[in-house]
């Protein structure tokens, strides 16, 4: 059986007055997801174990079938795996954001979604001036980069910059053992970025300018059991972000980079769909992750978030579903979100999230939406449980029942 898991990152939200008391998932024009929910089953699952912070790292581990309490050592080591960096036993990986601080407050964790092409020479400049044997910056994607630090400080408290938007930078610096070494790197990045020609160009174009690096999410390397052993599955992870591709690589799945996948609204949807279908051609499992709804949640932009959810439905869910149907063989299609990123909160929250499962094929006509739509119309809910709904367990336990052998 072919299994496809499609994740719209951070699609979950809260009911909003602007939407007449509906959540963005309830209000959005998402005919494919509604039809899938109608023809299949929907339930709520918890992706964040009690006491853990609701990051995409913990949430995606969960929704890929791994208990974060057992396997999570930090965000950056997973991203390092995604970037193809082999960590040594004494290495500490840090996430290294290019961030914008204005009037001493954290204005933007993404520096106006700076591109990888722009970031590359900046990371090179940081390496030239701050790098040394055992301490190197690595380019990842957009504003998200990495620092690998042999015998680096691992036992300190760091704060994700997207958690403290608008707050004073000085109050959110790393604290704990060897904090000064980490703070020093962040401070030393300021003049290097200020003088960088890429920043001059961005300033001239009226774009947000990265003013410094922000180090967080540190940890030692981690290992995951192989998907083949756990679930008897081989396949691929399709995502723009190193975090999700990192989980894939750590568990032995293919996780090739899709050209033009940006982790934002302008991502190469067709390329991702093509890569997903290609993967299903020779393997049985694919996990497709789209980052954009989460970023729009962090921006607090409801209109943009609705657009991101609708684009995910139209450009990813629809084409993959139609292709699965066209294969005329048994498949299981799972649509989910890893966590909520409510636009009113501009951050992740830990409440349970909706998941929809459809066992197909559901139609002999090759037009799957027809029968489902006839049954439920456009009103079929995907996010119906959001108002005080109870979760039916942890995502990683639930996933085992869906894709286990
Ligand atoms: Zn996420």
């Amino acid at each position: 059986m072919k299994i496809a898991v499609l994740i719209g990152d951070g699609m979950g939200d809260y009911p909003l007055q602007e939407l007449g008391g509906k959540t963005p998932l309830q209000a959005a024009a998402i005919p494919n997801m509604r039809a899938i929910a109608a023809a299949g089953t929907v339930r709520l699952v918890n992706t964040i174990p009690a006491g853990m912070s609701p990051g995409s790292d913990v949430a995606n581990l969960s929704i890929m079938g791994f208990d974060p309490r057992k396997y999570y050592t930090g965000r950056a080591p997973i991203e390092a795996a995604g970037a193809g960096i082999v960590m040594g036993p004494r290495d500490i990986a840090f996430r290294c954001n290019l961030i914008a601080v204005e009037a001493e407050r954290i204005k933007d964790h993404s520096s106006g979604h700076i591109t990888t092409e722009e970031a590359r020479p900046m990371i090179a400049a940081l390496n030239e001036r701050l790098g040394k044997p055992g301490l190197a910056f690595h380019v990842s994607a957009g504003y998200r980069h990495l620092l690998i630090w042999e015998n680096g400080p691992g036992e300190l408290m760091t704060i994700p910059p997207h958690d403290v938007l608008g707050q004073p930078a000085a109050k959110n610096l790393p604290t704990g053992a060897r904090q000064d070494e980490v703070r020093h790197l962040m401070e030393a990045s300021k003049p290097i970025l200020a003088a960088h020609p890429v920043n001059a160009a961005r300033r001239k174009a009226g774009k947000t300018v990265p003013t410094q690096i922000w180090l967080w999410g540190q940890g030692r390397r981690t290992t995951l059991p192989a998907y083949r052993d756990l679930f008897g599955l081989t396949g691929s992870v399709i995502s723009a972000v190193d975090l999700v591709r990192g989980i894939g690589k750590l568990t032995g799945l293919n996780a090739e980079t899709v050209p033009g996948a940006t982790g934002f609204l302008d991502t190469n949807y067709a390329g991702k769909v093509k890569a997903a279908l290609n993967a299903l051609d020779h393997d049985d499992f694919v996990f497709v992750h789209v980052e954009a709804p989460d970023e729009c949640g962090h921006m607090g932009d409801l209109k943009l978030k609705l657009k991101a959810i609708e684009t995910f439905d139209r450009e990813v869910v629809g084409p993959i579903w139609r292709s699965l149907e066209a294969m005329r063989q048994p498949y299981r299609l799972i649509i989910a979100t890893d966590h909520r990123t409510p636009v009113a909160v501009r951050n992740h929250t830990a409440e349970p999230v909706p998941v929809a499962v459809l066992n197909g094929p559901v139609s002999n006509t090759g037009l799957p939406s027809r029968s489902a739509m006839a049954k439920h119309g456009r009103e079929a809910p995907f996010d119906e449980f959001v108002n005080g709904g109870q979760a039916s367990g942890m995502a990683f336990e639930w996933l085992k029942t869906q894709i286990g052998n």
Side-chain angles (χ1 to χ4, degrees):
M1 183 168 67
K2 303 288 180 185
I3 299 175
V5 180
L6 313 183
I7 303 287
D9 199 298
M11 285 197 302
D13 210 299
Y14 295 147
L16 293 165
Q17 228 168 26
E18 303 99 290
L19 300 176
K22 290 182 171 178
T23 69
L25 268 176
Q26 289 170 325
I30 46 171
N32 295 300
M33 281 193 260
R34 289 195 204 296
I36 288 161
T41 53
V42 183
R43 65 171 62 207
L44 277 187
V45 295
N46 276 313
T47 54
I48 313 295
M52 293 190 87
S53 129
S56 283
D57 39 15
V58 170
N60 276 289
L61 272 174
S62 234
I63 209 123
M64 283 188 76
F66 301 103
D67 183 348
R69 288 166 300 193
K70 207 164 151 190
Y71 297 110
Y72 183 73
T73 62
R75 180 187 191 108
I78 305 173
E79 291 186 326
I85 299 165
V86 179
M87 290 177 65
R90 288 186 301 277
D91 283 344
I92 301 289
F94 280 83
R95 161 65 93 76
C96 172
N97 277 47
L98 291 172
I99 72 161
V101 175
E102 224 175 75
E104 291 176 24
R105 287 173 186 271
I106 297 176
K107 184 192 164 204
D108 189 344
H109 67 287
S110 78
S111 293
H113 284 279
I114 189 165
T115 66
T116 310
E117 293 66 41
E118 290 171 299
R120 197 178 301 279
M122 294 187 147
I123 298 298
L126 291 170
N127 264 329
E128 222 166 86
R129 303 272 300 276
L130 305 176
K132 56 186 183 189
L135 191 158
F137 295 89
H138 295 261
V139 177
S140 175
Y143 63 86
R144 314 171 187 92
H145 306 285
L146 291 160
L147 168 66
I148 306 293
W149 192 344
E150 194 179 357
N151 296 318
E155 310 300 319
L156 73 175
M157 251 279 294
T158 54
I159 296 174
H162 56 258
D163 278 6
V164 287
L165 291 170
Q167 292 187 28
K171 282 195 176 153
N172 292 292
L173 291 169
T175 50
R178 298 171 66 190
Q179 63 179 35
D180 291 347
E181 294 172 60
V182 185
R183 290 182 180 197
H184 165 75
L185 285 174
M186 287 160 69
E187 191 61 34
S189 71
K190 290 178 183 174
I192 299 169
L193 296 183
H196 202 280
V198 167
N199 263 353
R202 282 185 72 84
R203 230 174 264 123
K204 212 170 154 190
K207 291 178 178 166
T208 303
V209 164
T211 58
Q212 66 170 96
I213 59 168
W214 190 269
L215 299 169
W216 61 283
Q218 75 283 355
R220 290 179 193 283
R221 68 181 180 184
T222 183
T223 52
L224 293 176
Y227 239 54
R228 189 195 303 260
D229 301 337
L230 263 186
F231 302 122
L233 289 172
T234 55
S236 293
V237 166
I238 315 285
S239 173
V241 298
D242 275 341
L243 172 68
V244 176
R245 287 192 293 111
I247 299 172
K249 286 189 182 176
L250 286 168
T251 189
L253 296 169
N254 298 315
E256 298 309 314
T257 321
V258 173
T262 58
F264 199 48
L265 269 162
D266 59 354
T267 199
N268 178 7
Y269 295 99
K272 291 177 98 157
V273 168
K274 196 174 157 208
L277 296 176
N278 198 19
L280 284 178
D281 254 357
H282 31 85
D283 285 311
D284 288 335
F285 177 77
V286 74
F287 183 96
V288 182
H289 169 267
V290 172
E291 175 79 354
D294 175 66
E295 293 293 347
C296 301
H298 286 298
M299 292 162 83
D301 191 326
L302 174 59
K303 251 176 102 174
L304 219 52
K305 182 163 183 181
L306 286 168
K307 188 180 170 192
I309 292 172
E310 290 173 354
T311 309
F312 171 64
D313 185 75
R314 189 180 63 244
E315 305 289 335
V316 177
V317 177
I320 289 179
W321 187 21
R322 282 192 291 276
S323 299
L324 285 169
E325 281 288 321
M327 287 177 188
R328 307 280 174 104
Q329 57 167 304
Y331 70 81
R332 181 164 289 158
L333 178 58
I334 299 175
I335 316 287
T337 181
D338 53 344
H339 54 74
R340 304 183 193 198
T341 312
V343 288
V345 182
R346 297 189 62 183
N347 204 349
H348 303 179
T349 62
E351 297 95 346
V353 290
V355 289
V357 182
L358 174 65
N359 293 313
V362 292
S363 155
N364 300 319
T365 63
L367 291 168
S369 54
R370 197 170 287 168
S371 57
M373 292 305 234
K375 204 166 100 197
H376 293 276
R378 291 180 61 83
E379 296 308 308
F382 176 57
D383 199 13
E384 64 185 328
F385 301 97
V386 75
N387 298 309
Q390 291 293 308
S392 57
M394 293 302 304
F396 48 86
E397 299 290 355
W398 167 78
L399 194 79
K400 273 177 210 156
T401 68
Q402 298 301 311
I403 72 171
N405 48 6

